[in-house]
Amino acid sequence: EYQLSDHAAKRILERKIDIAWIEQTLSAPDRQEPDAIDPHSTHALKRIVEQDNRVLRVVYNTTTAPVRVISVFFDRRMKGKL
């Protein structure tokens, strides 16, 4: 279970990111990283086969219930690294 911030909802529409990919990334990430600045945020990363193996990065706040998705994007820096 999760909530989308206004920013994340806008980016999902702009970038045509499937909600199912976000749910897959949150429930079974290939990798997780703490945020470098905000100790309450975590980055979940997952390779999305349907998008030519691009890596989806979902940034979410871990202190809210349900977790709050802050941002979502395909991370070009991670291509071929997962």
Side-chain angles (χ1 to χ4, degrees), residues 5 7-8 14-16 18 20-21 23 25-26 29 32 37-38 42 44 46-47 55 64 68-69 73 76 78 80 82:
S5 69
H7 173 80
E14 287 173 359
R15 298 170 179 156
K16 297 178 174 61
D18 192 324
W21 299 336
E23 293 171 355
T25 303
L26 289 172
Q32 287 189 318
I37 298 169
D38 182 359
T42 296
K46 185 160 191 73
R47 189 170 45 89
V55 176
T64 60
R68 184 169 177 83
V69 175
F73 59 96
R76 295 174 193 202
M78 294 300 296
L82 283 185

Side-chain angles (χ1 to χ4, degrees), residues 23-71:
E23 293 171 355
Q24 291 167 14
T25 303
L26 289 172
S27 65
D30 293 331
R31 182 157 88 189
Q32 287 189 318
E33 302 172 348
D35 188 85
I37 298 169
D38 182 359
H40 303 296
S41 295
T42 296
H43 297 233
L45 296 97
K46 185 160 191 73
R47 189 170 45 89
I48 306 297
V49 176
E50 301 91 337
Q51 286 292 308
D52 195 29
N53 291 315
R54 294 168 69 195
V55 176
L56 184 66
R57 184 177 290 264
V58 178
V59 183
Y60 64 96
N61 185 317
T62 58
T63 63
T64 60
V67 298
R68 184 169 177 83
V69 175
I70 301 165
S71 191

